[in-house]
């Protein structure tokens, strides 16, 4: 069985849901408490034992690459000012993990973005993490998936149950229970089924562990939902060919690509922060008591 060593993170999207905030900065660089969103994703990857991150980028995304790079000028200024704690913090970010970038030259869909990684990934299983999906859990979500992969030696997609009226926003899977806890054998997958047509409430979230055969399947996938090359369509053909498992991960997922989901992530992460948690809790109580300072 091959080890999972690489993680692909597509970051080429425009971030239109956050305009005008994302007019000049990538949505992945929007801050959650004290770190950009993308850093939480990369930290999950690192905590799961992954050795290399492959970013699928587009024009205007160099801030993400710079964030994980060493900044000589900034380091020299901080050194001159004896700001050692800050230097240490920055060095932790730049030495987190090796980051490689591949450009997606045309916005042809998520499936196409992943296909762009084929030469860098090569012939080994790999992870895909979508930057909009933040997961907070005791054991990192990707680690939970790798643990299952090491038992089944097949692709694994992370899922969560969603209300039936929200199934049209996700890739939905139908599956059969297995002897492994929280694990289903995938039978059918549909990308964003029309409202009222879904038979299942099991939604794919942005965490996939894929066998390299997915690249062949992606190469043969025609545009699907929304006229884009959909990863879900290629997953279906991989599931038919050699099998795939859906795993109901343990933890809480935030849709940080949505304004409300993003705010919830900020609040929950801040509430657990060692110095911000308590004063924020006091402030929230104050607001909940109807004492909003603008009124
Ligand atoms: C993508 C996938 C979808 C998945 C979702 C999870 O959709 O295509 O299958 O359920 O991510 O966040 P998007 O939300 O990027 O349109």
């Amino acid at each position: 069985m091959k080890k999972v060593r690489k993680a692909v993170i597509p970051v080429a999207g425009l971030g239109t849901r956050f305009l005008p905030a994302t007019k000049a900065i990538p949505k992945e660089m929007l801050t959650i408490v004290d770190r950009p969103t993308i850093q939480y994703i990369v930290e999950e990857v690192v905590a799961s034992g992954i050795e290399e991150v492959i970013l699928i980028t587009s024009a205007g995304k160099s801030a993400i690459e710079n964030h994980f790079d060493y900044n000589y000028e900034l380091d020299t200024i901080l050194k001159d000012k004896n700001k050692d704690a800050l230097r240490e913090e920055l060095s932790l970010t730049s030495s987190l993990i090796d980051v490689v970038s591949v450009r997606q030259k045309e916005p042809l869909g998520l499936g196409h973005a992943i296909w762009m990684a084929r030469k860098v990934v090569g012939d080994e299983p790999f992870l895909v993490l979508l930057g909009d999906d933040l997961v907070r859990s005791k054991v990192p979500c990707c680690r939970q998936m790798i643990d299952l992969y090491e038992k089944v030696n097949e692709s694994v997609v992370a899922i969560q149950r969603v209300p039936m009226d929200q199934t049209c926003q996700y890739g939905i899977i139908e599956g059969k229970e297995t002897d492994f806890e929280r694990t289903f054998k995938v039978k059918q997958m549909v990308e964003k089924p029309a409202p009222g047509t879904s038979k299942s409430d099991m939604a794919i979230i942005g965490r996939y562990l894929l066998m390299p055969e997915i690249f062949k399947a992606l190469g043969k996938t025609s545009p699907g939902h929304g006229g884009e090359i959909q990863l879900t369509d290629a997953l279906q053909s991989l599931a038919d060919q050699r099998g795939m498992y859906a795993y109901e991960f343990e933890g809480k997922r935030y849709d940080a690509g949505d304004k409300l989901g993003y705010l919830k992530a900020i609040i929950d992460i801040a509430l657990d922060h060692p110095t911000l948690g308590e004063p924020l809790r006091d402030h929230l109580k104050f607001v909940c008591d109807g004492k909003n300072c603008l009124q």
Side-chain angles (χ1 to χ4, degrees), residues 110 130 133 170-171 191-192 204-206 208 230 232 253:
L110 176 61
L130 305 188
D133 292 283
Y170 296 90
E191 180 64 14
K192 306 199 174 87
I204 303 173
I205 64 138
Y208 310 78
Q230 294 293 349
T232 307
R253 173 235 178 204

Side-chain angles (χ1 to χ4, degrees), residues 238-259:
L238 189 61
D240 293 342
Q241 251 175 53
R242 57 171 296 167
M244 180 173 296
Y245 291 86
Y247 175 68
E248 216 177 333
F249 70 98
E250 284 183 76
K252 184 165 181 191
R253 173 235 178 204
Y254 300 83
D255 180 2
D258 163 80
K259 283 181 194 158

Side-chain angles (χ1 to χ4, degrees), residues 173-186:
I173 74 127
E174 279 173 48
K176 195 172 170 287
E177 268 186 68
T178 69
D179 292 341
F180 298 107
E181 229 183 314
R182 314 171 78 93
T183 305
F184 302 81
K185 187 92 201 249
V186 173

Side-chain angles (χ1 to χ4, degrees), residues 103-259:
R103 275 282 178 114
Q104 184 188 20
K105 292 179 185 145
E106 294 170 279
L108 298 180
L110 176 61
H112 178 257
I114 304 308
W115 189 69
M116 294 305 297
R118 67 199 180 283
K119 289 184 190 150
V120 189
V121 170
D123 188 26
E124 51 183 283
F126 65 103
L127 286 163
V128 172
L129 292 92
L130 305 188
D132 284 345
D133 292 283
L134 277 189
V135 180
R136 301 186 75 214
S137 50
K138 283 198 192 111
V139 177
C141 182
C142 286
R143 186 66 243 173
Q144 297 177 39
M145 296 168 76
I146 294 171
D147 289 344
L148 177 61
Y149 159 78
E150 287 173 352
K151 290 181 199 141
V152 296
N153 196 19
E154 285 296 353
S155 301
V156 177
V157 293
I159 52 160
Q160 74 172 19
R161 308 277 182 167
V162 296
M164 286 307 273
D165 63 354
Q166 288 175 22
T167 51
C168 55
Q169 299 167 23
Y170 296 90
I172 297 293
I173 74 127
E174 279 173 48
K176 195 172 170 287
E177 268 186 68
T178 69
D179 292 341
F180 298 107
E181 229 183 314
R182 314 171 78 93
T183 305
F184 302 81
K185 187 92 201 249
V186 173
K187 287 204 280 184
Q188 206 69 40
M189 312 180 101
V190 187
E191 180 64 14
K192 306 199 174 87
T197 62
S198 183
K199 290 191 208 127
S200 159
D201 65 348
M202 293 197 272
I204 303 173
I205 64 138
R207 298 287 184 280
Y208 310 78
L209 192 164
L210 301 175
M211 300 306 260
E213 285 81 358
I214 191 70
F215 293 120
K216 211 168 179 188
L218 282 167
K220 290 184 191 158
T221 302
S222 314
H225 183 87
E228 296 188 342
I229 297 174
Q230 294 293 349
L231 178 58
T232 307
D233 296 341
L235 291 177
Q236 175 74 64
S237 95
L238 189 61
D240 293 342
Q241 251 175 53
R242 57 171 296 167
M244 180 173 296
Y245 291 86
Y247 175 68
E248 216 177 333
F249 70 98
E250 284 183 76
K252 184 165 181 191
R253 173 235 178 204
Y254 300 83
D255 180 2
D258 163 80
K259 283 181 194 158

Side-chain angles (χ1 to χ4, degrees), residues 19-92:
L19 281 171
T22 49
K23 187 179 170 199
I25 58 160
K27 64 172 174 173
E28 295 80 7
M29 292 303 291
L30 294 178
T31 309
I32 293 186
V33 186
D34 53 6
R35 278 169 284 172
T37 314
I38 186 74
Q39 190 167 334
Y40 291 89
I41 304 287
V42 170
E43 283 176 0
E44 179 186 330
V45 157
V46 173
S48 302
I50 294 297
E51 295 161 20
E52 186 178 328
V53 160
I54 300 149
L55 296 175
I56 311 297
T57 67
S58 60
K61 297 283 180 161
S62 51
I64 303 174
E65 287 147 342
N66 293 342
H67 182 74
F68 294 104
D69 199 359
Y70 174 65
N71 185 330
Y72 177 78
E73 268 181 15
L74 183 59
D75 193 43
T76 310
I77 294 167
L78 293 175
K79 194 174 174 187
D80 289 348
K81 295 189 169 178
N82 293 322
K83 305 247 180 198
D84 290 337
L86 262 182
R87 285 184 70 212
E88 175 69 16
E89 177 83 35
L90 291 184
S91 131
L92 283 179

